[in-house]
mmCIF file with all atom_site columns, all heavy atoms in Angstrom:
data_model
loop_
_atom_site.group_PDB
_atom_site.id
_atom_site.type_symbol
_atom_site.label_atom_id
_atom_site.label_alt_id
_atom_site.label_comp_id
_atom_site.label_asym_id
_atom_site.label_entity_id
_atom_site.label_seq_id
_atom_site.pdbx_PDB_ins_code
_atom_site.Cartn_x
_atom_site.Cartn_y
_atom_site.Cartn_z
_atom_site.occupancy
_atom_site.B_iso_or_equiv
_atom_site.pdbx_formal_charge
_atom_site.auth_seq_id
_atom_site.auth_comp_id
_atom_site.auth_asym_id
_atom_site.auth_atom_id
_atom_site.pdbx_PDB_model_num
ATOM 1   N N   . GLU A 1 49 ? -20.201 -16.506 -1.588  1.00 0.00 ? 104 GLU A N   1
ATOM 2   C CA  . GLU A 1 49 ? -20.001 -17.084 -2.905  1.00 0.00 ? 104 GLU A CA  1
ATOM 3   C C   . GLU A 1 49 ? -18.626 -16.753 -3.480  1.00 0.00 ? 104 GLU A C   1
ATOM 4   O O   . GLU A 1 49 ? -18.302 -17.130 -4.593  1.00 0.00 ? 104 GLU A O   1
ATOM 5   C CB  . GLU A 1 49 ? -21.070 -16.559 -3.863  1.00 0.00 ? 104 GLU A CB  1
ATOM 6   C CG  . GLU A 1 49 ? -22.490 -16.912 -3.422  1.00 0.00 ? 104 GLU A CG  1
ATOM 7   C CD  . GLU A 1 49 ? -23.519 -16.332 -4.358  1.00 0.00 ? 104 GLU A CD  1
ATOM 8   O OE1 . GLU A 1 49 ? -23.113 -15.575 -5.279  1.00 0.00 ? 104 GLU A OE1 1
ATOM 9   O OE2 . GLU A 1 49 ? -24.710 -16.630 -4.184  1.00 0.00 ? 104 GLU A OE2 1
ATOM 10  N N   . THR A 1 50 ? -17.795 -16.020 -2.738  1.00 0.00 ? 105 THR A N   1
ATOM 11  C CA  . THR A 1 50 ? -16.481 -15.638 -3.236  1.00 0.00 ? 105 THR A CA  1
ATOM 12  C C   . THR A 1 50 ? -15.604 -16.859 -3.359  1.00 0.00 ? 105 THR A C   1
ATOM 13  O O   . THR A 1 50 ? -15.527 -17.676 -2.444  1.00 0.00 ? 105 THR A O   1
ATOM 14  C CB  . THR A 1 50 ? -15.833 -14.627 -2.283  1.00 0.00 ? 105 THR A CB  1
ATOM 15  O OG1 . THR A 1 50 ? -16.683 -13.502 -2.174  1.00 0.00 ? 105 THR A OG1 1
ATOM 16  C CG2 . THR A 1 50 ? -14.475 -14.201 -2.813  1.00 0.00 ? 105 THR A CG2 1
ATOM 17  N N   . THR A 1 51 ? -14.877 -17.012 -4.443  1.00 0.00 ? 106 THR A N   1
ATOM 18  C CA  . THR A 1 51 ? -13.954 -18.126 -4.661  1.00 0.00 ? 106 THR A CA  1
ATOM 19  C C   . THR A 1 51 ? -12.576 -17.584 -4.895  1.00 0.00 ? 106 THR A C   1
ATOM 20  O O   . THR A 1 51 ? -12.380 -16.390 -5.173  1.00 0.00 ? 106 THR A O   1
ATOM 21  C CB  . THR A 1 51 ? -14.387 -18.980 -5.870  1.00 0.00 ? 106 THR A CB  1
ATOM 22  O OG1 . THR A 1 51 ? -14.369 -18.150 -7.028  1.00 0.00 ? 106 THR A OG1 1
ATOM 23  C CG2 . THR A 1 51 ? -15.779 -19.555 -5.665  1.00 0.00 ? 106 THR A CG2 1
ATOM 24  N N   . GLU A 1 52 ? -11.610 -18.461 -4.770  1.00 0.00 ? 107 GLU A N   1
ATOM 25  C CA  . GLU A 1 52 ? -10.219 -18.053 -4.912  1.00 0.00 ? 107 GLU A CA  1
ATOM 26  C C   . GLU A 1 52 ? -9.894  -17.560 -6.311  1.00 0.00 ? 107 GLU A C   1
ATOM 27  O O   . GLU A 1 52 ? -9.059  -16.677 -6.497  1.00 0.00 ? 107 GLU A O   1
ATOM 28  C CB  . GLU A 1 52 ? -9.317  -19.220 -4.533  1.00 0.00 ? 107 GLU A CB  1
ATOM 29  C CG  . GLU A 1 52 ? -7.839  -18.852 -4.505  1.00 0.00 ? 107 GLU A CG  1
ATOM 30  C CD  . GLU A 1 52 ? -6.987  -20.004 -4.057  1.00 0.00 ? 107 GLU A CD  1
ATOM 31  O OE1 . GLU A 1 52 ? -7.560  -21.058 -3.727  1.00 0.00 ? 107 GLU A OE1 1
ATOM 32  O OE2 . GLU A 1 52 ? -5.749  -19.851 -4.040  1.00 0.00 ? 107 GLU A OE2 1
ATOM 33  N N   . THR A 1 53 ? -10.601 -18.085 -7.340  1.00 0.00 ? 108 THR A N   1
ATOM 34  C CA  . THR A 1 53 ? -10.307 -17.706 -8.731  1.00 0.00 ? 108 THR A CA  1
ATOM 35  C C   . THR A 1 53 ? -10.782 -16.316 -9.053  1.00 0.00 ? 108 THR A C   1
ATOM 36  O O   . THR A 1 53 ? -10.350 -15.712 -10.027 1.00 0.00 ? 108 THR A O   1
ATOM 37  C CB  . THR A 1 53 ? -10.961 -18.712 -9.689  1.00 0.00 ? 108 THR A CB  1
ATOM 38  O OG1 . THR A 1 53 ? -12.367 -18.734 -9.426  1.00 0.00 ? 108 THR A OG1 1
ATOM 39  C CG2 . THR A 1 53 ? -10.400 -20.104 -9.453  1.00 0.00 ? 108 THR A CG2 1
ATOM 40  N N   . GLU A 1 54 ? -11.657 -15.750 -8.240  1.00 0.00 ? 109 GLU A N   1
ATOM 41  C CA  . GLU A 1 54 ? -12.205 -14.434 -8.518  1.00 0.00 ? 109 GLU A CA  1
ATOM 42  C C   . GLU A 1 54 ? -11.324 -13.314 -8.010  1.00 0.00 ? 109 GLU A C   1
ATOM 43  O O   . GLU A 1 54 ? -11.591 -12.149 -8.261  1.00 0.00 ? 109 GLU A O   1
ATOM 44  C CB  . GLU A 1 54 ? -13.607 -14.310 -7.910  1.00 0.00 ? 109 GLU A CB  1
ATOM 45  C CG  . GLU A 1 54 ? -14.614 -15.257 -8.551  1.00 0.00 ? 109 GLU A CG  1
ATOM 46  C CD  . GLU A 1 54 ? -15.930 -15.195 -7.837  1.00 0.00 ? 109 GLU A CD  1
ATOM 47  O OE1 . GLU A 1 54 ? -15.935 -14.751 -6.659  1.00 0.00 ? 109 GLU A OE1 1
ATOM 48  O OE2 . GLU A 1 54 ? -16.955 -15.577 -8.397  1.00 0.00 ? 109 GLU A OE2 1
ATOM 49  N N   . LEU A 1 55 ? -10.290 -13.631 -7.226  1.00 0.00 ? 110 LEU A N   1
ATOM 50  C CA  . LEU A 1 55 ? -9.420  -12.607 -6.665  1.00 0.00 ? 110 LEU A CA  1
ATOM 51  C C   . LEU A 1 55 ? -8.358  -12.211 -7.684  1.00 0.00 ? 110 LEU A C   1
ATOM 52  O O   . LEU A 1 55 ? -7.785  -13.051 -8.369  1.00 0.00 ? 110 LEU A O   1
ATOM 53  C CB  . LEU A 1 55 ? -8.765  -13.137 -5.385  1.00 0.00 ? 110 LEU A CB  1
ATOM 54  C CG  . LEU A 1 55 ? -9.735  -13.563 -4.272  1.00 0.00 ? 110 LEU A CG  1
ATOM 55  C CD1 . LEU A 1 55 ? -8.962  -14.093 -3.079  1.00 0.00 ? 110 LEU A CD1 1
ATOM 56  C CD2 . LEU A 1 55 ? -10.628 -12.398 -3.887  1.00 0.00 ? 110 LEU A CD2 1
ATOM 57  N N   . ASP A 1 56 ? -8.057  -10.883 -7.782  1.00 0.00 ? 111 ASP A N   1
ATOM 58  C CA  . ASP A 1 56 ? -7.086  -10.362 -8.754  1.00 0.00 ? 111 ASP A CA  1
ATOM 59  C C   . ASP A 1 56 ? -5.748  -10.245 -8.057  1.00 0.00 ? 111 ASP A C   1
ATOM 60  O O   . ASP A 1 56 ? -5.575  -9.438  -7.123  1.00 0.00 ? 111 ASP A O   1
ATOM 61  C CB  . ASP A 1 56 ? -7.551  -9.007  -9.275  1.00 0.00 ? 111 ASP A CB  1
ATOM 62  C CG  . ASP A 1 56 ? -6.731  -8.546  -10.479 1.00 0.00 ? 111 ASP A CG  1
ATOM 63  O OD1 . ASP A 1 56 ? -5.668  -9.161  -10.720 1.00 0.00 ? 111 ASP A OD1 1
ATOM 64  O OD2 . ASP A 1 56 ? -7.165  -7.591  -11.138 1.00 0.00 ? 111 ASP A OD2 1
ATOM 65  N N   . GLY A 1 57 ? -4.762  -11.050 -8.497  1.00 0.00 ? 112 GLY A N   1
ATOM 66  C CA  . GLY A 1 57 ? -3.456  -11.058 -7.865  1.00 0.00 ? 112 GLY A CA  1
ATOM 67  C C   . GLY A 1 57 ? -2.452  -10.156 -8.514  1.00 0.00 ? 112 GLY A C   1
ATOM 68  O O   . GLY A 1 57 ? -1.276  -10.172 -8.140  1.00 0.00 ? 112 GLY A O   1
ATOM 69  N N   . ARG A 1 58 ? -2.866  -9.317  -9.510  1.00 0.00 ? 113 ARG A N   1
ATOM 70  C CA  . ARG A 1 58 ? -1.915  -8.455  -10.186 1.00 0.00 ? 113 ARG A CA  1
ATOM 71  C C   . ARG A 1 58 ? -1.430  -7.307  -9.297  1.00 0.00 ? 113 ARG A C   1
ATOM 72  O O   . ARG A 1 58 ? -0.429  -6.659  -9.612  1.00 0.00 ? 113 ARG A O   1
ATOM 73  C CB  . ARG A 1 58 ? -2.557  -7.892  -11.456 1.00 0.00 ? 113 ARG A CB  1
ATOM 74  C CG  . ARG A 1 58 ? -2.781  -8.965  -12.534 1.00 0.00 ? 113 ARG A CG  1
ATOM 75  C CD  . ARG A 1 58 ? -3.454  -8.360  -13.748 1.00 0.00 ? 113 ARG A CD  1
ATOM 76  N NE  . ARG A 1 58 ? -4.811  -7.919  -13.455 1.00 0.00 ? 113 ARG A NE  1
ATOM 77  C CZ  . ARG A 1 58 ? -5.589  -7.289  -14.330 1.00 0.00 ? 113 ARG A CZ  1
ATOM 78  N NH1 . ARG A 1 58 ? -5.121  -7.001  -15.533 1.00 0.00 ? 113 ARG A NH1 1
ATOM 79  N NH2 . ARG A 1 58 ? -6.811  -6.933  -13.998 1.00 0.00 ? 113 ARG A NH2 1
ATOM 80  N N   . TYR A 1 59 ? -2.167  -7.048  -8.237  1.00 0.00 ? 114 TYR A N   1
ATOM 81  C CA  . TYR A 1 59 ? -1.780  -5.946  -7.344  1.00 0.00 ? 114 TYR A CA  1
ATOM 82  C C   . TYR A 1 59 ? -0.922  -6.427  -6.160  1.00 0.00 ? 114 TYR A C   1
ATOM 83  O O   . TYR A 1 59 ? -0.645  -5.675  -5.240  1.00 0.00 ? 114 TYR A O   1
ATOM 84  C CB  . TYR A 1 59 ? -3.030  -5.253  -6.792  1.00 0.00 ? 114 TYR A CB  1
ATOM 85  C CG  . TYR A 1 59 ? -3.883  -4.621  -7.858  1.00 0.00 ? 114 TYR A CG  1
ATOM 86  C CD1 . TYR A 1 59 ? -5.001  -5.289  -8.357  1.00 0.00 ? 114 TYR A CD1 1
ATOM 87  C CD2 . TYR A 1 59 ? -3.572  -3.355  -8.363  1.00 0.00 ? 114 TYR A CD2 1
ATOM 88  C CE1 . TYR A 1 59 ? -5.792  -4.703  -9.336  1.00 0.00 ? 114 TYR A CE1 1
ATOM 89  C CE2 . TYR A 1 59 ? -4.361  -2.768  -9.341  1.00 0.00 ? 114 TYR A CE2 1
ATOM 90  C CZ  . TYR A 1 59 ? -5.476  -3.453  -9.826  1.00 0.00 ? 114 TYR A CZ  1
ATOM 91  O OH  . TYR A 1 59 ? -6.241  -2.882  -10.779 1.00 0.00 ? 114 TYR A OH  1
ATOM 92  N N   . TYR A 1 60 ? -0.511  -7.671  -6.193  1.00 0.00 ? 115 TYR A N   1
ATOM 93  C CA  . TYR A 1 60 ? 0.212   -8.251  -5.048  1.00 0.00 ? 115 TYR A CA  1
ATOM 94  C C   . TYR A 1 60 ? 1.474   -7.482  -4.731  1.00 0.00 ? 115 TYR A C   1
ATOM 95  O O   . TYR A 1 60 ? 1.784   -7.206  -3.574  1.00 0.00 ? 115 TYR A O   1
ATOM 96  C CB  . TYR A 1 60 ? 0.531   -9.718  -5.346  1.00 0.00 ? 115 TYR A CB  1
ATOM 97  C CG  . TYR A 1 60 ? 1.576   -10.291 -4.440  1.00 0.00 ? 115 TYR A CG  1
ATOM 98  C CD1 . TYR A 1 60 ? 1.278   -10.627 -3.115  1.00 0.00 ? 115 TYR A CD1 1
ATOM 99  C CD2 . TYR A 1 60 ? 2.892   -10.461 -4.884  1.00 0.00 ? 115 TYR A CD2 1
ATOM 100 C CE1 . TYR A 1 60 ? 2.254   -11.133 -2.279  1.00 0.00 ? 115 TYR A CE1 1
ATOM 101 C CE2 . TYR A 1 60 ? 3.868   -10.966 -4.044  1.00 0.00 ? 115 TYR A CE2 1
ATOM 102 C CZ  . TYR A 1 60 ? 3.541   -11.309 -2.742  1.00 0.00 ? 115 TYR A CZ  1
ATOM 103 O OH  . TYR A 1 60 ? 4.487   -11.808 -1.902  1.00 0.00 ? 115 TYR A OH  1
ATOM 104 N N   . ARG A 1 61 ? 2.224   -7.097  -5.802  1.00 0.00 ? 116 ARG A N   1
ATOM 105 C CA  . ARG A 1 61 ? 3.522   -6.461  -5.582  1.00 0.00 ? 116 ARG A CA  1
ATOM 106 C C   . ARG A 1 61 ? 3.405   -5.109  -4.891  1.00 0.00 ? 116 ARG A C   1
ATOM 107 O O   . ARG A 1 61 ? 4.379   -4.641  -4.286  1.00 0.00 ? 116 ARG A O   1
ATOM 108 C CB  . ARG A 1 61 ? 4.251   -6.310  -6.915  1.00 0.00 ? 116 ARG A CB  1
ATOM 109 C CG  . ARG A 1 61 ? 4.660   -7.643  -7.535  1.00 0.00 ? 116 ARG A CG  1
ATOM 110 C CD  . ARG A 1 61 ? 5.359   -7.435  -8.856  1.00 0.00 ? 116 ARG A CD  1
ATOM 111 N NE  . ARG A 1 61 ? 4.477   -6.834  -9.852  1.00 0.00 ? 116 ARG A NE  1
ATOM 112 C CZ  . ARG A 1 61 ? 4.868   -6.388  -11.047 1.00 0.00 ? 116 ARG A CZ  1
ATOM 113 N NH1 . ARG A 1 61 ? 6.156   -6.443  -11.375 1.00 0.00 ? 116 ARG A NH1 1
ATOM 114 N NH2 . ARG A 1 61 ? 4.017   -5.868  -11.904 1.00 0.00 ? 116 ARG A NH2 1
ATOM 115 N N   . LEU A 1 62 ? 2.249   -4.484  -4.984  1.00 0.00 ? 117 LEU A N   1
ATOM 116 C CA  . LEU A 1 62 ? 2.059   -3.196  -4.312  1.00 0.00 ? 117 LEU A CA  1
ATOM 117 C C   . LEU A 1 62 ? 1.853   -3.341  -2.805  1.00 0.00 ? 117 LEU A C   1
ATOM 118 O O   . LEU A 1 62 ? 2.071   -2.385  -2.054  1.00 0.00 ? 117 LEU A O   1
ATOM 119 C CB  . LEU A 1 62 ? 0.867   -2.453  -4.929  1.00 0.00 ? 117 LEU A CB  1
ATOM 120 C CG  . LEU A 1 62 ? 1.014   -2.060  -6.402  1.00 0.00 ? 117 LEU A CG  1
ATOM 121 C CD1 . LEU A 1 62 ? -0.261  -1.406  -6.892  1.00 0.00 ? 117 LEU A CD1 1
ATOM 122 C CD2 . LEU A 1 62 ? 2.206   -1.139  -6.603  1.00 0.00 ? 117 LEU A CD2 1
ATOM 123 N N   . PHE A 1 63 ? 1.423   -4.521  -2.358  1.00 0.00 ? 118 PHE A N   1
ATOM 124 C CA  . PHE A 1 63 ? 1.126   -4.734  -0.942  1.00 0.00 ? 118 PHE A CA  1
ATOM 125 C C   . PHE A 1 63 ? 2.226   -5.513  -0.228  1.00 0.00 ? 118 PHE A C   1
ATOM 126 O O   . PHE A 1 63 ? 2.339   -5.458  0.988   1.00 0.00 ? 118 PHE A O   1
ATOM 127 C CB  . PHE A 1 63 ? -0.217  -5.471  -0.795  1.00 0.00 ? 118 PHE A CB  1
ATOM 128 C CG  . PHE A 1 63 ? -1.375  -4.686  -1.325  1.00 0.00 ? 118 PHE A CG  1
ATOM 129 C CD1 . PHE A 1 63 ? -1.869  -4.919  -2.613  1.00 0.00 ? 118 PHE A CD1 1
ATOM 130 C CD2 . PHE A 1 63 ? -1.967  -3.706  -0.560  1.00 0.00 ? 118 PHE A CD2 1
ATOM 131 C CE1 . PHE A 1 63 ? -2.931  -4.204  -3.097  1.00 0.00 ? 118 PHE A CE1 1
ATOM 132 C CE2 . PHE A 1 63 ? -3.035  -2.980  -1.044  1.00 0.00 ? 118 PHE A CE2 1
ATOM 133 C CZ  . PHE A 1 63 ? -3.532  -3.219  -2.318  1.00 0.00 ? 118 PHE A CZ  1
#
Side-chain angles (χ1 to χ4, degrees):
E104 300 178 355
T105 302
T106 61
E107 186 177 357
T108 58
E109 295 174 339
L110 301 179
D111 191 347
R113 291 178 294 176
Y114 298 98
Y115 164 75
R116 293 179 296 171
L117 296 177
F118 297 97

